[in-house]
């Protein structure tokens, strides 16, 4: 192993965002381990990772001894498990404590900065689970980096603009459409996550992915898309009151996505606070790396639109 390489184990590495982390880790030359369930349905991706040189460890987070054994092989642990598995990370923490060798743990945050926002109750309950993991990590004195990646760019461009339905003439706008939201391209999130995870300066820090040029309002995003496609869309606004009512009346967990839309696109939760104190904004950390702009992401959608995805809430 070369001097700047770390052995990195990724939980949820076959997932929507985890797969970008695995690919970035391999690209940066780190020996990369992927912990995946024996009955995972991501067989093709696992084969692709193997052909790229990843080491696949099959197991479940409930298998404590297997977890400890896997952790003893590596230096850095990243969890990109989905929201329903957030509290399962307590089992990873228990194993990290026993293994005793882990130099950095990055829990599955990767959204709004949960220690800086307050949201409607369904989203608060979601964030509380992630906060609980952060507090458990701090209490156990496990070295960490907490990442706020803000909005996954392709995920939300798909959601807001429906580019995979080219005949759709109508776009839904949440609230006035004027609040800014930060959109980051998934490949960049993968790459910056690995850079930050292996950066000694980011030890026990909160790192926020918030390049200033990636903060756009929905109306700005629609206008950019209209220029690129040469189309004019009908904009249908859903008022803040309607969104709040939906968050109160939809059953759990369908009340979570509307509460996230409220927080991010009505209240501007990803863009409206000062980054200060010990917290770090990532975009100027590495001179050889930059975040793709929203304009560049939209160009990707013009040529080869990434498939729509939906996050798991149960
Ligand atoms: N900022 C944003 O815009 C945004 C958007 C979406 C999600 N997120 C966040 O990103 C993080 C990762 O979410 P994701 O959507 O990328 O995850 P995901 O793709 O839904 O799942 C990640 C992996 O978890 C494993 N998994 C799935 N179901 C499981 C189960 N029942 N038990 C154990 N493991 C299971 C699977 O791996 P194996 O099959 O290999 O075991 C899967 O590939 C979460 O914290 C989520 O809240 C953020």
């Amino acid at each position: 192993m070369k001097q700047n390489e770390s052995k990195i184990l990724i939980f949820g590495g076959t997932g929507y965002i985890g797969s970008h982390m695995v690919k970035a880790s391999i690209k940066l030359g780190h020996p990369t381990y992927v912990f995946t369930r024996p009955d995972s349905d991501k067989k093709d991706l696992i084969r692709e990772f193997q052909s790229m040189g990843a080491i696949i460890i099959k197991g479940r987070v409930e298998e404590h001894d297997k977890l400890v054994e896997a952790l003893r092989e590596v230096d850095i642990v990243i969890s990109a498990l989905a929201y329903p598995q957030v509290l399962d990370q307590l089992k990873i923490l228990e194993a990290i404590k026993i293994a005793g060798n882990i130099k950095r743990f990055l829990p599955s945050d990767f959204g709004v900065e949960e220690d800086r926002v307050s949201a409607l109750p369904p989203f608060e309950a979601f964030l509380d689970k992630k906060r609980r993991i952060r507090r458990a990590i701090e209490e156990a004195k496990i070295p960490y980096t907490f990442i706020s990646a803000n909005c996954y760019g392709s995920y939300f461009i798909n959601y807001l603009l429906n580019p995979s339905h080219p005949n759709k003439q109508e776009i839904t706008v949440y609230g006035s459409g004027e609040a800014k939201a930060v959109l980051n391209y998934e490949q960049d999130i993968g790459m910056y996550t690995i850079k930050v995870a292996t950066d000694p300066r980011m030890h026990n820090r909160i790192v926020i992915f918030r390049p200033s040029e990636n903060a756009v309002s929905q109306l700005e995003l629609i206008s950019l898309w209209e220029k690129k496609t040469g189309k004019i869309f009908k904009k249908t606004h859903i008022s803040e009151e309607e969104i709040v009512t939906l968050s109160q009346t939809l059953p759990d967990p369908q009340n979570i996505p509307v509460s996230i839309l409220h927080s991010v696109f009505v209240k501007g939760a990803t863009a409206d606070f000062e980054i200060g104190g010990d917290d770090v904004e990532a975009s100027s950390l590495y001179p050889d790396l930059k975040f793709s702009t929203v304009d560049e992401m939209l160009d990707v959608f013009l040529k080869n639109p990434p498939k729509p995805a939906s996050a798991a809430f149960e």
Side-chain angles (χ1 to χ4, degrees):
M1 208 165 79
K2 297 198 191 107
Q3 208 192 353
N4 291 329
E5 290 171 7
S6 302
K7 291 182 176 179
I8 302 181
L9 173 63
I10 304 178
F11 290 86
T14 61
Y16 181 77
I17 204 64
S19 60
H20 292 287
M21 296 172 190
V22 171
K23 287 177 182 169
S25 177
I26 295 170
K27 194 168 175 187
L28 290 169
H30 301 292
T32 303
Y33 298 65
V34 180
F35 195 93
T36 174
R37 290 168 299 165
D39 53 353
S40 171
D41 57 4
K42 310 284 176 64
K43 302 276 182 270
D44 290 347
L45 186 58
I46 291 168
R47 266 194 292 276
E48 186 187 340
F49 287 162
Q50 276 173 318
S51 72
M52 294 167 80
I55 297 148
I56 307 298
I57 302 176
K58 297 208 173 187
R60 297 180 184 280
V61 288
E62 293 78 15
E63 293 177 276
H64 177 77
D65 293 345
K66 184 172 269 181
L67 223 52
V68 173
E69 195 186 324
L71 291 166
R72 288 202 166 127
E73 291 292 315
V74 302
D75 309 301
I76 291 173
V77 180
I78 300 173
S79 167
L81 288 171
Y83 166 67
Q85 281 73 51
V86 160
L87 293 182
D88 288 349
Q89 295 177 112
L90 292 170
K91 301 186 181 89
I92 302 176
L93 294 193
E94 284 313 308
I96 288 177
K97 285 190 226 168
I98 301 295
N101 60 305
I102 295 304
K103 299 192 186 77
R104 196 85 63 88
F105 179 53
L106 283 69
S108 192
D109 288 333
F110 306 115
V112 303
E113 179 30 47
E114 63 226 38
D115 285 329
R116 299 291 296 273
V117 304
S118 67
L120 294 175
F123 191 27
E124 268 298 310
F126 170 108
L127 294 174
D128 266 344
K129 287 191 186 164
K130 295 192 173 195
R131 292 179 188 127
R132 199 175 141 195
I133 297 297
R134 282 192 177 183
R135 303 294 87 83
I137 293 168
E138 290 163 345
E139 202 183 319
K141 299 201 172 4
I142 294 167
Y144 65 83
T145 303
F146 298 148
I147 291 185
S148 163
N150 290 316
C151 300
Y152 297 171
S154 302
Y155 184 100
F156 276 101
I157 288 171
N158 261 318
Y159 190 84
L160 296 171
L161 302 178
N162 297 299
S164 59
H165 297 98
N167 295 329
K168 210 168 167 203
Q169 299 300 316
E170 195 175 327
I171 288 182
T172 304
V173 179
Y174 301 94
S176 71
E178 283 163 3
K180 301 262 187 192
V182 179
L183 268 58
N184 293 317
Y185 194 37
E186 285 80 346
Q187 287 179 16
D188 300 334
I189 293 173
M191 188 53 82
Y192 271 87
T193 297
I194 302 301
K195 292 290 273 188
V196 161
T198 53
D199 184 339
R201 298 172 297 171
M202 299 304 122
H203 169 262
N204 287 358
R205 309 288 285 270
I206 292 176
V207 183
I208 299 167
F209 295 177
R210 195 165 87 183
S212 54
E213 63 274 23
N214 285 19
V216 287
S217 71
Q218 283 169 88
L219 295 182
E220 287 165 345
L221 186 67
I222 295 167
S223 160
L224 274 171
W225 188 233
E226 286 180 333
K227 280 194 198 112
K228 286 201 186 288
T229 55
K231 292 184 190 168
I232 299 294
F233 295 96
K234 178 170 183 290
K235 290 142 204 117
T236 308
H237 289 254
I238 303 191
S239 70
E240 177 172 6
E241 292 70 30
E242 285 173 86
I243 298 170
V244 172
T245 303
L246 283 172
S247 80
Q248 293 162 343
T249 52
L250 284 171
D252 187 48
Q254 290 161 38
N255 52 6
I256 302 173
V258 284
S259 307
I260 294 176
L261 292 171
H262 178 264
S263 190
V264 173
F265 296 104
V266 179
K267 292 296 186 199
T270 58
D272 72 344
F273 62 90
E274 293 291 320
I275 300 175
D278 241 14
D279 301 350
V280 182
E281 198 287 305
S283 59
S284 51
L285 285 175
Y286 309 107
D288 56 332
L289 209 59
K290 74 176 255 311
F291 280 95
S292 310
T293 62
V294 172
D295 199 70
E296 287 164 344
M297 284 184 253
L298 291 178
D299 281 340
V300 173
F301 272 88
L302 269 188
K303 289 183 205 117
N304 189 13
K307 280 200 203 113
S310 55
F313 292 104
E314 63 181 339

